[in-house]
């Protein structure tokens, strides 16, 4: 019985915390990626620079700091125009979707994942993130409905109290 109660509260906690399977990135990894770009300098080939920028972008959109996520989104949006092949475009779209998910823009994340899945319909990573995004959108809707129902209940209760007070006079 105790185990069932614990499992129930764990599921409630997961519902409200929005637990997902997307990894987080520490700031020391971001610093390392920035150092890698700086050390490559102007002498590095375009391919080496692009790979370094992709690693930094990955690290930024997986950061716990909102300002890092926003910087990653900006880098990826700028780099998306130069995506020369479908695989590069798919990767950049996916990372942008992660960034928008982390920043709370779930509808934009879902749009980018749809574009991603047009390129690679069976890509499990994108399918998994899309399910996570859709679950989050649904959960936010449920929470919104709960808040609205509570507000209506409080309003109705307030009206009842005022009506009861008016009858007593």
């Amino acid at each position: 019985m105790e185990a069932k109660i614990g499992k129930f509260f764990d599921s409630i906690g997961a519902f409200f915390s929005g637990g997902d399977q997307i990894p987080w990135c520490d700031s020391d990894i971001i610093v390392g990626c920035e150092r890698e770009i700086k050390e490559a300098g102007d002498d590095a080939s375009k391919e080496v620079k692009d790979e370094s920028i992709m690693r930094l972008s990955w690290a930024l959109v997986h950061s716990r700091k909102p300002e890092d996520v926003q910087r990653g989104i900006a880098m990826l949006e700028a780099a998306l125009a130069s995506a020369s092949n479908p695989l590069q475009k798919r990767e950049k779209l996916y990372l942008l979707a992660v960034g928008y998910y982390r920043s709370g823009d779930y509808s934009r994340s879902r749009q980018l994942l749809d574009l991603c899945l047009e390129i690679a319909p069976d890509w499990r990573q994108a399918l998994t993130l899309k399910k996570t995004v859709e679950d989050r959108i649904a959960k936010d809707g449920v929470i919104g409905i709960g808040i609205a129902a509570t507000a209506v209940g409080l309003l109705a209760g307030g009206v009842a109290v005022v009506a009861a007070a008016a009858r007593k006079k």
Side-chain angles (χ1 to χ4, degrees), residues 20-52:
D20 58 51
Q21 302 301 316
I22 301 169
W24 293 101
C25 185
D26 295 328
S27 59
D28 57 333
I29 294 173
I30 294 170
V31 169
C33 291
E34 290 171 333
R35 187 178 320 118
E36 178 185 331
I37 291 172
K38 188 177 179 181
E39 288 172 358
D42 294 331
D43 299 337
S45 69
K46 181 179 177 357
E47 186 178 303
V48 169
K49 285 180 186 177
D50 287 347
E51 287 176 13
S52 297

Side-chain angles (χ1 to χ4, degrees), residues 12-158:
I12 297 292
F15 179 81
F16 286 106
S17 70
D20 58 51
Q21 302 301 316
I22 301 169
W24 293 101
C25 185
D26 295 328
S27 59
D28 57 333
I29 294 173
I30 294 170
V31 169
C33 291
E34 290 171 333
R35 187 178 320 118
E36 178 185 331
I37 291 172
K38 188 177 179 181
E39 288 172 358
D42 294 331
D43 299 337
S45 69
K46 181 179 177 357
E47 186 178 303
V48 169
K49 285 180 186 177
D50 287 347
E51 287 176 13
S52 297
I53 289 171
M54 280 300 289
R55 278 192 289 278
L56 176 59
S57 299
W58 184 96
L60 289 169
V61 297
H62 287 86
S63 174
R64 292 184 187 272
K65 297 179 182 176
E67 61 272 13
D68 287 343
V69 174
Q70 291 304 315
R71 192 164 60 120
I73 289 171
M75 286 177 66
L76 286 160
E77 285 180 340
L80 190 58
S82 68
S84 58
N85 68 47
L87 282 178
Q88 285 180 342
K89 185 175 182 179
R90 177 191 81 165
E91 293 292 326
K92 290 174 183 176
L93 287 169
Y94 176 78
L95 289 176
L96 266 171
V98 170
Y100 280 109
Y101 174 78
R102 289 284 191 222
S103 65
D105 190 346
Y106 306 122
S107 61
R108 180 70 178 135
S109 180
R110 184 172 48 187
Q111 290 171 345
L112 291 164
L113 289 164
D114 286 340
L115 293 173
C116 223
L117 291 166
E118 285 178 16
I119 297 168
D122 296 332
W123 192 23
R124 285 183 191 239
Q125 208 171 354
L127 290 167
T128 301
L129 180 57
K130 185 174 180 183
K131 179 167 179 5
T132 301
V133 168
E134 288 174 347
D135 288 349
R136 186 61 188 241
I137 289 169
K139 180 176 77 172
D140 285 356
V142 168
I143 291 170
I145 290 170
I147 291 170
T150 302
V152 168
L154 290 173
L155 182 62

Side-chain angles (χ1 to χ4, degrees), residues 149-169:
T150 302
V152 168
L154 290 173
L155 182 62
V159 169
V161 167
V162 169
R167 268 189 255 139
K168 286 185 179 181
K169 286 183 178 184

